[in-house]
Amino acid sequence: FFCLQSFLMIYPLWFSFSPFGFLSLISCHGSEIIDGKEVTPHSMPFMALLEADKGYCGGTLIDPLWVLTAAHCGNVKTVSLGVHSRKAQEKEKRYRQVCEREKNVPHPDFNSHTYDHDLMLVKLNEAVKQTQWVGSLKLNEVVKDPPAGSVCTVAGWGQTNMHTFSDVLMAVNVTVVNRTTCNSKDYYNSSNYVTENMICAGSDGKNKADACVGDSGGPILCNGALVGVTSFGAGNECGKKDRPGVYAFLTRDHLEWIKKTMKT
């Protein structure tokens, strides 16, 4: 963990456990994914469940050969697609595609202390077959920086409270917080905590809205478009109104890096 001047701690949102959907279908609030709801099974066919050295992360299939996730997830080994329930391996066997990774490509400027540029591309060992249950989410040429007050959606299999990981895919709505506000003394109290390469999003002031342990690498979507990747939170609990979740933002430079990496 990295301690900032305000003595807040960055908590990456990957998790370890023993392994035993679309926006119009989602009705939910929050992001821990607390206050969220189970998505309609397979309604988010781009969602990926990644197994890495450190545990498990989420990811987004952006091409039949490529998954976008968070750099801090580390050495990804396998990628499972078409998953709704983590435990229902036999029941979901006909929906799932499990791929080995060919290579992991973290962003070259990823800072493991500040989590700036917390993005990684995972190339699969073979292209997935696009089906009703597995499909890629195409990136936009340019991603608009979501203004404060925008309501966006995050999804994952992470903690639904501080002790329980979700078996099924959950989704939740989060409200974007202005970077200046997020860095202010009433929030993170550090002028450089949330950079221009990040999105701050969480509670609307009334609900508990935040990504939690296990949601790292998963998508944040605004108006149906992929705008970022779940990166980190702060403190020893999720869902605090004055400690919104922080997401790696898909800036123009990040999009260029993604396209260049996929071509080469």
Side-chain angles (χ1 to χ4, degrees):
F1 301 124
F2 177 74
C3 189
L4 296 170
Q5 291 178 353
S6 57
F7 301 103
L8 294 171
M9 305 293 284
I10 289 179
Y11 282 74
L13 301 179
W14 53 265
F15 68 95
S16 298
F17 66 86
S18 296
F20 287 116
F22 204 73
L23 296 183
S24 61
L25 302 175
I26 298 168
S27 174
C28 50
H29 306 280
S31 143
E32 287 178 78
I33 289 179
I34 293 171
D35 282 352
K37 292 185 178 180
E38 178 181 355
V39 306
T40 301
H42 311 293
S43 59
M44 301 179 80
F46 49 82
M47 284 295 302
L49 182 63
L50 281 54
E51 182 179 357
D53 285 343
K54 296 179 179 179
Y56 286 75
C57 275
T60 304
L61 184 71
I62 58 171
D63 177 272
L65 269 175
W66 294 91
V67 170
L68 179 66
T69 187
H72 79 258
C73 289
N75 182 29
V76 172
K77 297 179 177 178
T78 60
V79 176
S80 297
L81 298 147
V83 178
H84 180 67
S85 165
R86 293 188 290 105
K87 296 178 182 178
Q89 295 183 27
E90 284 301 315
K91 183 179 179 181
E92 294 184 1
K93 189 174 182 179
R94 70 189 184 99
Y95 309 131
R96 296 190 184 191
Q97 296 181 50
V98 181
C99 303
E100 299 296 319
R101 64 103 173 91
E102 180 176 307
K103 63 179 176 180
N104 298 314
V105 189
H107 193 281
D109 296 325
F110 169 58
N111 187 316
S112 60
H113 297 301
T114 66
Y115 280 44
D116 213 5
H117 307 286
D118 190 12
L119 296 168
M120 181 167 69
L121 285 165
V122 180
K123 186 177 183 182
L124 308 178
N125 65 333
E126 60 181 338
V128 301
K129 181 181 179 182
Q130 306 241 30
T131 67
Q132 178 182 345
W133 309 283
V134 176
S136 56
L137 182 63
K138 187 176 180 180
L139 289 176
N140 288 341
E141 289 296 315
V142 177
V143 174
K144 182 180 178 182
D145 193 350
S150 300
V151 178
C152 302
T153 302
V154 296
W157 291 268
Q159 287 185 347
T160 53
N161 59 48
M162 288 310 294
H163 305 288
T164 306
F165 292 98
S166 179
D167 171 53
V168 296
L169 181 61
M170 304 283 285
V172 70
N173 291 337
V174 291
T175 302
V176 175
V177 180
N178 180 280
R179 293 183 182 91
T180 301
T181 301
C182 211
N183 286 324
S184 70
K185 62 181 180 63
D186 293 329
Y187 283 73
Y188 284 115
N189 196 27
S190 176
S191 60
N192 199 35
Y193 194 81
V194 178
T195 73
E196 294 297 316
N197 300 313
M198 302 174 186
I199 297 171
C200 191
S203 172
D204 62 5
K206 298 177 182 178
N207 60 10
K208 290 186 175 182
D210 191 13
C212 204
V213 178
D215 294 320
S216 276
I220 177 169
L221 305 113
C222 302
N223 296 319
L226 182 63
V227 301
V229 167
T230 302
S231 183
F232 67 88
N236 58 1
E237 60 183 282
C238 303
K240 298 178 73 173
K241 295 178 182 179
D242 58 352
R243 298 291 187 270
V246 182
Y247 304 81
F249 175 45
L250 295 181
T251 64
R252 186 182 296 272
D253 286 346
H254 287 155
L255 291 171
E256 286 299 319
W257 168 74
I258 290 170
K259 287 192 287 186
K260 181 179 178 182
T261 302
M262 289 170 61
K263 285 181 181 179
T264 57

